[in-house]
Amino acid sequence: MPADRHTAVVPEAGERETSTRAALRNPRRLRIEVLGGLVVALALIPEAISFSVIAGVDPRMGLFSSFIMAVTIAFVGGRPAMISAATGAVALVIAPVAREHGVDYFLATVILAGVLQIVLAALGVAKLMRFIPRMVMVGFVNALAILIFLAQLPHLLGVPWLVYPLVALGILIMVGLPRLTTVVPAPLVAIVAITALMWAAGWDLPNVSDQGELPTSLPQLLIPNVPLTLETLQIIGPFALAMALVGLLESLMTAKLVDGITDTHSDKTREGWGQGVANMLSGAFGGMGGCAMIGQTMINVKVSGARTRISTFLAGVFLLALVVGAGPVVGMIPMAALVAVMIMVSVATFDWHSIHPATLRRMPHSENLVLLLTVAVTVLTSNLAYGVIVGVVSAMILFARRVAHFASVTAATEQGDDARTERHGDGIEDGIDGDASGASGDRPGDVRVYTVSGELFFATSNDLVYQFDYAGDPDRIVIDLTNSHIWDASTVAALDAIETKYARHGKQVEIVGLNESSAARHRRLSGQLGEGH
């Protein structure tokens, strides 16, 4: 196993492991990693089968993909202890390829998506994570918790009544056992106990084998039988790009979430290209591809306490061993046990503090709106990318609207040594009081000085041209930007338009007070943006 470079935090007793090698030398830490990987493997089986059904492919493709991605990302990923496998988000994106063009085109799409992820990671797409606001992250987490819970409902509707007490028993074990001991992960105890109880009682209840056929052989290298033509690229290209973007977005945001839980920092660029490598290998071995899984990651990191690459690697190894070598036994595991585990994961994942009445009252309405939009869009579409995009765009719009009020214009007429204030603007959006009649006392040689304060960008500068008295001002106008900063071309265009309007009245404008950055931007763009209006 490769040594990771990040310090891992062990929740018990507050001890810290610094590498995978250190964990291998620590029996207590190794036990946590091994058992965490086993629990994750058991939870992955029904999920992988379900996602295969969504994608319209053989269940073995989802199981093989989960094995290959987990093992690969353990070596090349940038976030230790995070679980990557077949996911519903990716399945939804590329399902049309399998349905309309067949499995070979489907596998080619997965491989191309991996290549695109490597390219995007090399171009620095991971750095865009800094532009995702906190409330979008909270909305992302809450939406995932809701989706995890909703995914369990089909296993709770139209089933024998015994399923419900077994689910309740599983939840009771996972809530109560950690108060007595943490030697063995509570989810593993719940799964074993419920399986043993159902087997001993002879109950015929829905189990893992009902979800689909388990593989009986190892995955084999497959070369997709598709023509290497432009037409093929036109077919698979859009789906591959969508898969690459959705996979990167979900993986990077999950990595950021785990960073917060473990108080460590992960290499997002490495995680990006690592996802690409894992998807390429997944497609090459007949898998459906995937990305990071927040549900299984929370089981591994938050419930089991795993912190290193060992648990991720073993999750993949155990998964393959269970479905290939112990398929009949795994098939007997009741869905009630796994549903109980995922319900607890959903509860643990949700940020309950974010919806506390006191928190909602304290937060600005705009922040709550961003949270609500992110959750609503994600849940309604079952697409994390849509939810995050809507959340980020709405946050940007609300932020721009809020800061648009932070710029103001003040006007004064200078006569020799005397300065006389003519007008004040409370904000650029509100305009400046007064009109041409206010300048009736102007004399030859007077200078009208406009002082602009605040940050100038598209939201604050688009109305700037309306704040000047072009007809009534004297022949010399000074625009003082000492207390401002020019951030974009919209502001330069607005200043050009102001100069043009004054020139039409035969008046001269002087712009003063530009700081170095603003002056450079104004000098580079002024007069190059088209005619001012």
Side-chain angles (χ1 to χ4, degrees), residues 269-326:
T269 297
R270 177 177 173 179
E271 183 62 39
W273 65 256
Q275 290 289 328
V277 172
N279 273 308
M280 288 178 61
L281 290 175
S282 175
F285 281 90
M288 59 175 283
C291 60
M293 299 187 74
I294 190 169
Q296 278 67 21
T297 298
M298 289 300 99
I299 292 175
N300 195 44
V301 174
K302 206 167 186 178
V303 178
S304 300
R307 290 294 183 270
T308 76
R309 300 176 187 274
I310 297 174
S311 58
T312 306
F313 175 78
L314 290 179
V317 172
F318 283 142
L319 172 64
L320 186 66
L322 288 169
V323 298
V324 174

Side-chain angles (χ1 to χ4, degrees), residues 223-257:
I223 303 298
N225 184 22
V226 297
L228 300 178
T229 63
L230 182 60
E231 182 181 0
T232 299
L233 183 61
Q234 290 174 336
I235 292 173
I236 69 175
F239 293 101
L241 179 60
M243 175 181 167
L245 292 174
V246 169
L248 282 177
L249 181 62
E250 184 165 352
S251 299
L252 295 177
M253 293 193 71
T254 303
K256 187 174 181 180
L257 176 64

Side-chain angles (χ1 to χ4, degrees), residues 39 99 137-138 166 176 181 257 296-297 315 391 428 460 462 493 503 516:
V39 174
R99 184 171 59 249
M137 274 295 301
V138 174
L166 289 180
T181 180
L257 176 64
Q296 278 67 21
T297 298
I428 284 180
T460 57
N462 281 339
E516 183 177 350

Side-chain angles (χ1 to χ4, degrees), residues 400-401 403-405 407-408 426-432 459-460 463-464 467:
R401 181 178 178 272
V403 300
H405 299 281
S408 62
D426 293 329
I428 284 180
E429 284 193 344
D430 300 326
I432 303 176
T460 57
D463 291 328
L464 193 62
Q467 315 308 316

Side-chain angles (χ1 to χ4, degrees), residues 407-411 423-428 431-432 450-453 464 467-468:
S408 62
V409 178
T410 302
R423 305 187 282 285
H424 260 311
D426 293 329
I428 284 180
I432 303 176
Y450 288 91
T451 302
V452 182
S453 301
L464 193 62
Q467 315 308 316
F468 297 83

